[in-house]
Amino acid sequence: MEDTEDFVVDDDVFKEPMKKRRRSDRDQRFRAFPSVEQSALKEYEKLESRTRRVLSNTYQKLIQSVFLDDSIPNGVKYLINRLLALIEKPSLDPIYIGLFGSTGAGKSSLINAIIQQAMFLPVSGESICTSCIVQVSSGCCEQYEAKIHLLSDQEWKEELKNLTKLLHRTEEPDREEADMWDRDDAVEEAIWKLQMFYGNGAERKSYEELLRARPKGKIPTSRIITLKAEEAGELSVKLDPYIRTQRRDLDGESAETQIWPLIKHVEVTLPKSELIPEGVVLVDIPGTGDFNSKRDEMWKKTIDKCSVIWVISDIERVSGGRAHEDLLNESIKACQRGFCRDVALVVTKTDKLHLPEYLRERKVGNRAILSQREAVLERNEMIKLQRNRILKEKLKRKLPADSKVLEASDLVYTVSAQEYWQQALLTEEETEIPRLRGYIRKRLLDKKRRMVTKYVTEAFGLLLLTDSFNCTENPPNEYLHMSGLRRFVEEKIQLLEKAIDQCFAHIEQPLQEGVQNARTSYRRILGACLVRSRGNQGFHQTLKAVCLKNGVYASRTLARIDLNEAITQPIYDQIDPVFGGIFRAGMPTGSTLLPHIEAFKHSLLEKMMEIGVRNGWKYDSYKKSFLIQEISAILGGLEDYILRKKRRIYESLTTSVQNDLKPCYEEAAQISGKKACERMKDVLRRGVEQQVAEGMFERAQERMRHQFQLLKNGITEKVKGSIATMLTLASSQGDGLYKELADVKSEYKEMEKLHRSLQEVAENAVLRRGMQDFLLRMSPSKAVPPKA
């Protein structure tokens, strides 16, 4: 079982901890925040920095006390490794905010406005501009920097093989196939990639010939291209050819565009941004994925690692269309399978409005509209109300009723990047770019507060135990206390296992009903996937691409096709609300997993307090406090483990179906010649029919059950192993477990002060927020632009 132990005793205990961040660098991180928020962040940063210093001093003392020993007791190894792990723990895991939208939705324009760089990422209202995943963040670097990550040699060979298979056809196709060839988007894109990378005529060469061919562009051996510049505009010019979608009729490509087909993703770092705080990553995510397996896998993983997803939609497309609905559905799935906790709709280009048409369609009886600006503001407010209601209803159908995202006051933003720069119609505030920045800052501040609170508390627990090693006072009944606690833990773990079983049992009925629905609807769903409005014209090679990629085709211009997901959608329709309920946070219920673990933690804490009160555990208050802190740390770490496993469980249905259908996909992909498109469809229909008859959906059901069982086993093994180790360390009965260590009383006392100051810092932050809100209410409104 992977990841079954939280804390592993490492024999390499003399490792040097990482260097501390310089104070000047730390202060630069807060430039994006108003003064009130800066004060709160500086207090939390100071707490964290002082805690790291105390931990580092303690670590050095322990190392010196055991440096000459032939053997180090396990308890001391545990302490040293835990101290080192806390010292090297990242200050803050990045907050990924995914901007998820289709072609021309305005993702790049929005990022440019948020970072206050008008034309930094390529922008065009007519066609696809950003061609790959682009991550934008700020750091303490002095220059603007971009890293272009390329496909590895093996990854490119895999794509090359699929591209040449896609272009393979008989020497003399009939007229029907020739017509389809000319109009097929998948073929055009394949030809375009090969010509750009190898030159004209590459599309007529075999896979083996292209392997021997010399690429037009120079490929760095590191597969990473690093660009640096003093100014944003300078880096933008250098970066543009790498991330802008290249026109297919472009003559005389540059050296940069020649390796464009190899680009996997791009990371851009801004120096000391006053608008985007360090620790936040804005991710420009194309709406459909990619034909290359590695790029498509990265597309999925990028969506899943985002804790926030903004679905970006043009004001003229927000009221309908399949692309918009697909984006919303994919975002909601990210809440189910990934780390996403917040979804919002960001409507772009909201300055666009044809006033005579709007006034004609406007309902009679409303107040008079005197200007373009008034019309834009009224229309934007109506859009917010309408789309907020629609989005909330959609989320309610898929997520548990008490999901935090449903409580959000801001589910819809109406923004205008153009007006942010021009302010001809709207004020800066009315463009809502500042609201998005405020949201970003609030997310980071909240996460920093939680992280530092947890960090200081965990560090305090370790210092309690470290100091207790040198305590000579031991209660007479300590062994009885520990043995009684062990029995109690064993009983509670058994109850936890039963609670997990009961929790997972809630998905059984929806899962069975979903399987039944899938069995009755798969023919209709498959038929709809295999039919196009213009018949087979322009669909032949696209279908071949679908088969080459085991049922999934992602194009830069067409809607994403996923036969496996479509066939299993009736199952997901049934299980989604229950699945989301299992993994949500909240009050303990029969179907909720995390609160059961929280209840298990509290029962252990209460038991220790009870033992302490009943037996006068005053002499061993150090170890009691250590147990309380370590139980919180051990069980608190389970949430991340569960979230990592959640994706595998959720995707087990589609993965199972894809594996079962792989032989028929491979068979269909080999078909060429006359009537190839109809023959491929027949192979797919027969293959699906055969697999369904042989229990394909039932196997998918069993594989999901198996993944739930693996999660249960992982949870219980982690709890048993970690708590058993902790109880052994807290007991003085182990032979040679402890030894006299260096005196850390001064470090313990300083850590105790830091732990007490957490409450003071939190109270100061509340007072500052109240003062800030008061001043904002009392301040005069900003002037509005002249009426237009």
Side-chain angles (χ1 to χ4, degrees):
M1 176 67 63
E2 61 181 67
D3 299 331
T4 56
E5 293 295 333
D6 280 321
F7 309 121
V8 179
V9 175
D10 186 355
D11 289 330
D12 186 15
V13 297
F14 302 112
K15 181 180 175 183
E16 285 292 326
M18 64 182 182
K19 299 294 184 183
K20 295 187 295 184
R21 182 194 291 267
R22 291 179 301 175
R23 181 178 299 276
S24 59
D25 289 343
R26 291 200 303 269
D27 291 343
Q28 295 290 350
R29 303 173 68 193
F30 310 132
R31 293 177 59 178
F33 291 87
S35 58
V36 171
E37 294 174 353
Q38 277 193 30
S39 298
L41 275 168
K42 285 180 179 179
E43 285 190 341
Y44 282 119
E45 188 83 359
K46 187 177 179 181
L47 263 179
E48 181 191 346
S49 177
R50 289 175 63 188
T51 299
R52 288 185 188 275
R53 186 176 68 244
V54 172
L55 292 173
S56 184
N57 290 341
T58 307
Y59 176 86
Q60 295 297 338
K61 282 188 174 183
L62 292 188
I63 289 295
Q64 290 170 11
S65 68
V66 300
F67 186 74
L68 297 178
D69 290 2
D70 293 332
S71 63
I72 304 174
N74 286 336
V76 179
K77 283 185 181 179
Y78 175 89
L79 266 182
I80 291 175
N81 285 324
R82 288 283 281 116
L83 284 166
L84 184 62
L86 271 181
I87 292 168
E88 297 194 335
K89 188 175 183 179
S91 181
L92 189 71
D93 290 330
I95 296 175
Y96 290 91
I97 299 179
L99 284 77
F100 192 38
S102 54
T103 303
K107 302 185 297 296
S108 299
S109 297
L110 181 57
I111 291 178
N112 289 343
I114 291 174
I115 67 176
Q116 194 76 17
Q117 300 291 345
M119 299 297 291
F120 188 71
L121 298 180
V123 173
S124 170
E126 300 176 357
S127 61
I128 307 173
C129 267
T130 310
S131 60
C132 60
I133 293 172
V134 180
Q135 298 183 4
V136 180
S137 61
S138 67
C140 289
C141 53
E142 296 297 326
Q143 293 181 303
Y144 291 84
E145 182 177 298
K147 289 187 177 181
I148 296 104
H149 297 261
L150 307 181
L151 294 172
S152 68
D153 185 56
Q154 190 58 41
E155 289 165 353
W156 172 246
K157 285 179 179 178
E158 179 196 340
E159 177 164 7
L160 184 61
K161 183 177 292 185
N162 285 321
L163 291 174
T164 52
K165 284 181 180 178
L166 190 60
L167 295 177
H168 174 74
R169 54 178 175 155
T170 55
E171 293 298 323
E172 297 181 358
D174 62 7
R175 184 68 249 170
E176 178 193 8
E177 187 176 355
D179 288 342
M180 287 186 283
W181 180 273
D182 292 338
R183 292 176 174 84
D184 200 289
D185 178 84
V187 168
E188 288 183 6
E189 187 165 340
I191 293 173
W192 177 44
K193 283 183 178 180
L194 293 180
Q195 288 180 345
M196 183 173 289
F197 195 63
Y198 292 110
N200 291 332
E203 72 277 11
R204 294 188 292 272
K205 295 181 179 179
S206 68
Y207 170 68
E208 289 74 17
E209 289 174 321
L210 290 174
L211 284 180
R212 295 190 296 269
R214 186 184 182 89
K216 292 166 63 179
K218 185 178 179 181
I219 304 169
T221 54
S222 65
R223 315 300 277 202
I224 296 176
I225 300 170
T226 301
L227 308 174
K228 293 184 179 182
E230 295 293 332
E231 301 294 334
E234 183 186 352
L235 182 68
S236 179
V237 170
K238 293 180 179 179
L239 184 61
D240 189 280
Y242 292 103
I243 63 176
R244 182 187 290 274
T245 297
Q246 305 302 319
R247 290 174 51 190
R248 303 186 185 190
D249 58 351
L250 191 66
D251 293 327
E253 305 101 340
S254 65
E256 293 88 353
T257 62
Q258 290 167 355
I259 65 166
W260 182 84
L262 281 186
I263 296 173
K264 187 191 295 186
H265 71 282
V266 175
E267 296 175 335
V268 179
T269 305
L270 313 176
K272 306 183 182 71
S273 172
E274 295 187 2
L275 297 168
I276 298 300
E278 184 181 351
V280 172
V281 183
L282 300 175
V283 191
D284 187 337
I285 307 175
T288 59
D290 196 275
F291 181 66
N292 176 270
S293 297
K294 291 298 178 182
R295 277 194 292 250
D296 198 56
E297 180 184 350
M298 184 176 182
W299 177 80
K300 281 187 176 181
K301 287 184 176 179
T302 300
I303 294 172
D304 288 346
K305 76 180 178 182
C306 291
S307 55
V308 178
I309 291 181
W310 291 342
V311 180
I312 313 298
S313 186
D314 184 329
I315 185 72
E316 295 178 347
R317 304 182 192 180
V318 72
S319 297
R322 177 184 168 187
H324 175 71
E325 289 301 310
D326 287 346
L327 292 170
L328 280 178
N329 290 333
E330 192 66 40
S331 301
I332 294 171
K333 284 178 183 175
C335 291
Q336 297 282 28
R337 71 183 181 226
F339 287 85
C340 182
R341 297 291 179 86
D342 201 354
V343 174
L345 173 63
V346 179
V347 185
T348 58
K349 307 178 186 179
T350 56
D351 58 289
K352 292 165 62 176
L353 181 141
H354 187 249
L355 186 58
E357 182 179 331
Y358 176 74
L359 293 175
R360 186 179 69 248
E361 295 179 355
R362 189 167 172 260
K363 291 183 179 179
V364 179
N366 290 345
R367 66 179 180 83
I369 292 291
L370 302 178
S371 67
Q372 179 89 3
R373 177 176 179 274
E374 289 183 4
V376 167
L377 290 175
E378 181 184 77
R379 189 274 318 274
N380 289 354
E381 193 60 33
M382 288 172 55
I383 286 287
K384 274 189 183 180
L385 292 172
Q386 292 170 359
R387 302 314 301 182
N388 187 80
R389 176 178 53 80
I390 293 170
L391 179 55
K392 189 162 285 191
E393 289 174 355
K394 194 175 187 71
L395 290 169
K396 282 181 178 177
R397 290 195 299 269
K398 292 289 186 179
L399 301 176
D402 60 349
S403 295
K404 287 190 180 297
V405 67
L406 296 175
E407 301 171 6
S409 57
D410 296 324
L411 280 177
V412 180
Y413 298 85
T414 51
V415 305
S416 171
Q418 181 169 310
E419 276 299 298
Y420 175 77
W421 300 110
Q422 297 178 355
Q423 296 185 31
L425 288 174
L426 305 176
T427 66
E428 181 178 305
E429 291 295 325
E430 287 165 346
T431 66
E432 300 206 350
I433 300 298
R435 283 186 68 207
L436 293 177
R437 289 183 186 144
Y439 172 89
I440 291 170
R441 293 196 304 270
K442 183 178 184 300
R443 291 283 301 199
L444 187 70
L445 186 57
D446 289 346
K447 186 169 183 178
K448 184 68 175 180
R449 185 191 70 249
R450 292 193 303 270
M451 177 266 165
V452 171
T453 301
K454 182 179 177 182
Y455 188 78
V456 173
T457 302
E458 193 171 344
F460 181 49
L462 277 180
L463 264 294
L464 282 169
L465 181 64
T466 307
D467 189 50
S468 74
F469 272 23
N470 290 329
C471 181
T472 58
E473 297 173 317
N474 287 307
N477 296 323
E478 182 179 344
Y479 179 75
L480 294 176
H481 297 164
M482 287 300 173
S483 61
L485 189 55
R486 282 193 181 91
R487 287 195 299 271
F488 178 80
V489 169
E490 290 170 1
E491 293 170 2
K492 283 297 179 180
I493 288 176
Q494 291 176 0
L495 292 176
L496 178 62
E497 289 179 320
K498 291 180 181 178
I500 295 174
D501 284 336
Q502 292 170 2
C503 177
F504 292 166
H506 282 78
I507 208 166
E508 271 303 312
Q509 184 175 345
L511 189 57
Q512 291 175 7
E513 291 173 355
V515 166
Q516 190 60 38
N517 291 347
R519 289 185 65 87
T520 58
S521 59
Y522 73 90
R523 292 188 184 91
R524 173 181 55 80
I525 294 171
L526 183 63
C529 291
L530 298 181
V531 171
R532 288 294 177 270
S533 59
R534 296 183 351 186
N536 292 339
Q537 191 174 10
F539 188 54
H540 172 211
Q541 296 303 115
T542 297
L543 185 57
K544 186 167 188 176
V546 170
C547 296
L548 283 169
K549 305 304 292 182
N550 292 323
V552 183
Y553 176 60
S555 162
R556 298 180 191 276
T557 54
L558 296 178
R560 185 179 179 87
I561 300 172
D562 191 332
L563 298 184
N564 313 298
E565 194 173 273
I567 291 171
T568 53
Q569 190 57 48
I571 308 179
Y572 285 112
D573 289 340
Q574 289 296 121
I575 70 169
D576 272 350
V578 179
F579 189 92
I582 289 173
F583 294 99
R584 77 178 185 272
M587 294 299 293
T589 65
S591 63
T592 312
L593 177 59
L594 292 176
H596 281 302
I597 294 172
E598 190 69 17
F600 171 74
K601 179 180 80 174
H602 285 298
S603 69
L604 295 187
L605 300 181
E606 289 174 1
K607 184 65 175 179
M608 281 185 288
M609 297 301 293
E610 175 194 325
I611 291 175
V613 171
R614 188 172 66 239
N615 297 288
W617 213 0
K618 59 182 180 181
Y619 293 108
D620 208 22
S621 60
Y622 291 105
K623 290 177 184 175
K624 180 187 71 176
S625 299
F626 161 74
L627 288 172
I628 291 172
Q629 302 296 346
E630 283 295 273
I631 284 174
S632 297
I634 290 167
L635 298 180
L638 276 178
E639 183 173 356
D640 287 339
Y641 171 78
I642 290 168
L643 289 176
R644 289 198 305 271
K645 299 300 181 184
K646 184 174 71 165
R647 180 186 180 191
R648 184 174 296 178
I649 298 173
Y650 191 76
E651 293 185 339
S652 60
L653 297 173
T654 50
T655 302
S656 176
V657 166
Q658 185 179 49
N659 289 336
D660 286 353
L661 293 179
K662 189 174 181 179
C664 76
Y665 288 139
E666 292 174 346
E667 181 183 349
Q670 300 300 317
I671 295 174
S672 61
K674 190 173 182 179
K675 303 289 184 183
C677 192
E678 282 304 323
R679 288 159 54 206
M680 281 192 287
K681 290 180 181 180
D682 287 341
V683 167
L684 291 175
R685 291 190 189 102
R686 289 196 309 271
V688 172
E689 287 281 356
Q690 179 181 347
Q691 289 299 323
V692 170
E694 294 175 358
M696 178 175 73
F697 293 124
E698 288 76 13
R699 285 193 296 275
Q701 180 182 8
E702 281 302 316
R703 284 164 182 160
M704 176 170 271
R705 286 173 179 158
H706 178 64
Q707 289 297 325
F708 271 116
Q709 184 63 40
L710 290 178
L711 175 59
K712 174 196 163 183
N713 295 342
I715 291 171
T716 54
E717 286 179 22
K718 289 173 83 68
V719 169
K720 287 177 182 177
S722 299
I723 293 185
T725 301
M726 180 201 66
L727 292 177
T728 301
L729 290 167
S731 170
S732 60
Q733 301 300 313
D735 293 334
L737 191 61
Y738 302 134
K739 64 161 285 172
E740 186 175 347
L741 297 173
D743 184 11
V744 293
K745 283 243 181 268
S746 61
E747 285 78 12
Y748 164 70
K749 287 180 179 179
E750 186 175 356
M751 198 66 244
E752 190 175 31
K753 290 178 184 177
L754 293 173
H755 189 252
R756 282 200 304 266
S757 66
L758 275 175
Q759 182 66 28
E760 182 182 343
V761 172
E763 290 171 355
N764 289 343
V766 172
L767 288 173
R768 289 193 189 95
R769 280 199 300 270
M771 182 65 72
Q772 183 183 42
D773 292 343
F774 173 77
L775 292 174
L776 286 174
R777 288 195 301 270
M778 298 301 292
S779 64
S781 301
K782 291 185 178 181
V784 300
K787 292 182 179 180

